[in-house]
Structure formats: structure tokens, C-alpha cells
Amino acid sequence: MAARPETARKILIYWMDGVVALMAVITVAFTVGRSTAGAISPLHAAVTVTCQLGLCVLFPILLREAFDHRPRPTWKLALAGAFALAATLLRPTTLDNSSPWIEVGTLWLAAAALYLSPRAIVCVATAVAGLLTVHGALVHDQSWPGVLISLLINFAFMIPAMLLWRWLWWIIRDASNAREARARLAVAEERLRFARDLHDLLGHSLAVITLKSELAAKLATKDAARALTEMTEVRELAGDSLAEVQQAVHGYQHLDLDEEVAGVRAALEASGTRCVVHVRADGLGPAARALLAWVVREGGTNVLKHSRATRCAITIDGGLLEMRNDGVARGAAQPSPGSGLRGLAERLVAAGGTLSAAPTATGEFLLRATVPVVGELPAREAVPA
């Protein structure tokens, strides 16, 4: 649920919708029953039912508008209050059981709690309790202590429950936002690391090349020999810089498989995704291990950036790698592969391997890669810490 906050939101809201629908059925059935028995006129029953249904129709709208934040009171809230008050005051006078109509007032008060401050809701609850108690005692000859106690019990249960319902959604939403922020941070940190390495390598060299090039341009018409010397040094600096960049990229490209698996696992678990790893790759050569390391890195990056996975399984058995995650919604269209996966696929095919990435029939996303196995040794299982 934490990984799919919108699903949690729907469950919480639809649960309240079901409660309201059940209450509507009960109150309407009571009113229609009293009208059929001749206790109230058809017009009286029709007005009462209209008020009951009006409140039940407005309540889901009020709930959805106030679920993500605390909005200011609106005309919809006032209209729902008028419906609740009218339905309560018009309830059949011969009806001994007033519990459904107590619930009508409580329902509106619970919706109002999502819009009003705590002090305001206490004042409104006191006013509603006083009005309904007096009405029950004077019009229906009910015991006022019994009516008051019933109202207070309902208020004390329903209002905190509604506020807790919304607070629970806020917790789920904030946890999901924090998880996504951690995932973006993990990707940004890797980009920053590589950018910092390139800056350290090229910053000084490019600054010197710029200065010497400007100096050579100024000396070109005054001292050709010195200008030639400066440009020779520029060429040497450019060649050294190119060699340093090639060395850095070469080191970046030749990844260590065990380090990449451990790093991806740590990044996924930091973002809230449970990661299970099974690795048996002792029989792979350095080139094959480097290819699989690239697949692990790209697969982990895609899980962090493009999915809402709660679990991810990384399995390497010889020259076969599979990464499965549950971050694909059922019925969703198959995403087109990004440039990272396309580049990996071309590299693997050139090395005699394969790469595929697609949702499965079980609702998972499977990244599958194979590399040629040369000189395979007896395999053992290892789970990086």
C-alpha cells in the first residue's frame, strides 16, 4: 500500500462511501416503511428521503475535496448541513428508534471536521448536540440524558475516526513522496560523482589550454616561433587530457559485478524496495562480468526512476541474469525501451549475448540478459551484504 498511495487513497475513501451508502439504505428504508404504514404522509416521506439522499450524495464530494488538505468551508458543506438538519427534524415522530437520525447528524459533523479548526468543530458539535437533544426531548418525548449520551458517544467516535482516516492517508502519501525523493537522490548522486570526476580531470587542463591558445593567437603576428611553441604545448595538453578522459571512462565502463550488485541493492533498499539477491557467477570471465555489471546498474536505475516497486529480485546464474520487480501496474501499456537499454542491448548482441525487458503475465517487469560463458567453473551461491 505504501508503494501505491493512490490505491490506499481509494481504499480509504471507498470504505467511507460504503458506510454512507449503507446508512442511506437504512434511513430511507425506515422512512418509506413509516410512510407505507401510514405514520407519515407521502409528501413528508418524500421530503425526508430527499434530504437524506442529498446529504449522502454530497458527503463523498466533501470527503474527496478535503482528503488531501484542509480546505476552507464551502457552500457544499453548508448545504449538506441543511440536508442533515432537515432530515433529522423531519424524522417520523412515531419512530421509537432515533439512532439512524443521530447518525445523520454525526455524518455531517464528521465531514465538517475535515474543514474546520479543532476549536470550531467543538463549538459546532456542542451546538448540534444541544439542538438535537432539545428536539428529541420536546418533540419525541425522549429522555434528554439518553439522547445526549448517544450523541456524545457518536461524536466522540466518528469525528476522531474521520480525522485519523485522513491523517493515515497523509502518512502514506508522505512516505511515498520520501521514497521517490530518495530514489531521485540516488540517481542524482551517481551523476554528480561522474560529473565531479570529469571536472577534476578536465577543469585545470582546459583552463591552461584556453590561456595558451589566447597567448598563441596574440603572438602569431609578433613572434611566430614562440606562438608555435605555445601551440605545441596546447597539443600536448590536449593529448594528455584526452588520455585522462579515456582512462576515466575506461575505468567507469569496466565495472565490478559484485560491487554493482551490492550498490544497487543498497540503493533500492534505501528507497523502500526490498531486494533479494542470488549470484552464481564464478565461472564468468572479466568481460562477461563487466557486461552483467552494466545490466545490473541500468536495471537498478530504471527501477529507481521509472517504477513503484516494493520488491526486486536479482538472480545471476552463470551467464544468465534476471531482474524482476513488481513495479508494473496490471493492464498498463508496455513501455518503450529507453536509450540506456537500447545501448546495452547493442553491446550485448555485439558480444554474443541477448537482452530483453518487458512486463510478465504475473504483473512483474522482467529484465533478462545472457552473456557467453567461457571456462565455467563450479558455481556457488553468494548473497552480498
Side-chain angles (χ1 to χ4, degrees):
M1 184 176 292
R4 297 176 174 85
E6 286 305 316
T7 300
R9 186 179 189 275
K10 290 178 181 179
I11 291 174
L12 295 175
I13 290 181
Y14 290 167
W15 177 271
M16 287 306 306
D17 290 348
V19 172
V20 173
L22 178 61
M23 192 195 71
V25 171
I26 294 174
T27 54
V28 170
F30 272 128
T31 304
V32 173
R34 301 314 296 172
S35 177
T36 303
I40 57 175
S41 66
L43 178 61
H44 187 167
V47 174
T48 303
V49 169
T50 299
C51 293
Q52 294 164 358
L53 295 179
L55 172 63
C56 294
V57 168
L58 283 174
F59 181 86
I61 300 174
L62 295 172
L63 181 63
R64 283 160 174 79
E65 290 181 351
F67 212 60
D68 293 322
H69 57 280
R70 186 191 297 276
R72 297 176 63 87
T74 64
W75 64 269
K76 297 175 186 177
L77 182 63
L79 181 60
F83 281 144
L85 179 62
T88 303
L89 298 180
L90 291 174
R91 75 178 192 261
T93 57
T94 57
L95 186 61
D96 295 330
N97 183 11
S98 62
S99 176
W101 276 263
I102 291 177
E103 296 295 341
V104 168
T106 305
L107 182 66
W108 176 81
L109 202 58
L114 300 178
Y115 288 78
L116 304 177
S117 65
R119 179 179 297 180
I121 197 60
V122 169
C123 295
V124 173
T126 302
V128 171
L131 176 63
L132 296 184
T133 299
V134 171
H135 179 265
L138 297 181
V139 177
H140 300 282
D141 293 327
Q142 294 177 313
S143 171
W144 71 265
V147 176
L148 181 60
I149 291 174
S150 297
L151 286 169
L152 294 179
I153 291 176
N154 278 272
F155 291 174
F157 172 77
M158 192 64 179
I159 295 175
M162 184 65 67
L163 294 175
L164 180 64
W165 217 242
R166 183 173 64 178
W167 176 80
L168 178 61
W169 155 241
W170 285 353
I171 293 296
I172 295 173
R173 179 193 61 191
D174 292 345
S176 176
N177 292 340
R179 175 181 177 271
E180 293 177 356
R182 288 195 300 269
R184 290 193 298 268
L185 180 61
V187 175
E189 286 180 344
E190 175 60 22
R191 291 175 176 172
L192 180 61
R193 183 193 69 80
F194 190 63
R196 185 171 57 247
D197 290 346
L198 286 180
H199 178 271
D200 293 341
L201 287 172
L202 296 178
H204 176 71
S205 299
L206 291 178
V208 175
I209 289 173
T210 300
L211 292 174
K212 285 186 172 293
S213 298
E214 293 176 351
L215 178 59
K218 293 178 181 179
L219 294 173
T221 57
K222 298 179 180 180
D223 191 345
R226 188 177 173 188
L228 178 60
T229 301
E230 294 294 338
M231 290 307 299
T232 301
E233 293 180 1
V234 167
R235 184 182 61 184
E236 293 176 353
L237 283 172
D240 293 341
S241 299
L242 178 60
E244 289 177 350
V245 171
Q246 289 175 339
Q247 184 178 1
V249 174
H250 180 79
Y252 187 78
Q253 289 177 338
H254 284 73
L255 306 177
D256 181 79
L257 179 60
D258 293 334
E259 290 181 0
E260 286 304 314
V261 170
V264 167
R265 182 179 189 180
L268 290 176
E269 292 186 345
S271 68
T273 303
R274 180 174 176 268
C275 189
V276 179
V277 176
H278 296 284
V279 176
R280 297 193 302 173
D282 292 341
L284 295 179
R289 292 176 65 90
L291 286 173
L292 292 184
W294 266 109
V295 176
V296 171
R297 170 175 286 195
E298 182 66 22
T301 301
N302 287 340
V303 173
L304 289 171
K305 291 176 60 177
H306 305 305
S307 80
R308 296 176 175 268
T310 60
R311 68 177 187 278
C312 179
I314 304 175
T315 303
I316 300 177
D317 188 2
L320 172 64
L321 180 149
E322 290 186 349
M323 290 185 66
R324 296 177 179 267
N325 71 82
D326 62 347
V328 177
R330 291 186 179 275
Q334 180 174 337
S336 58
S339 59
L341 288 178
R342 285 195 297 267
L344 273 180
E346 293 171 359
R347 182 182 299 183
L348 286 169
V349 169
T354 61
L355 179 74
S356 62
T360 67
T362 59
E364 297 179 318
F365 190 87
L366 172 62
L367 175 64
R368 190 175 189 273
T370 62
V371 295
V373 178
V374 180
E376 184 172 352
L377 302 176
R380 60 180 178 85
E381 181 174 341
V383 180

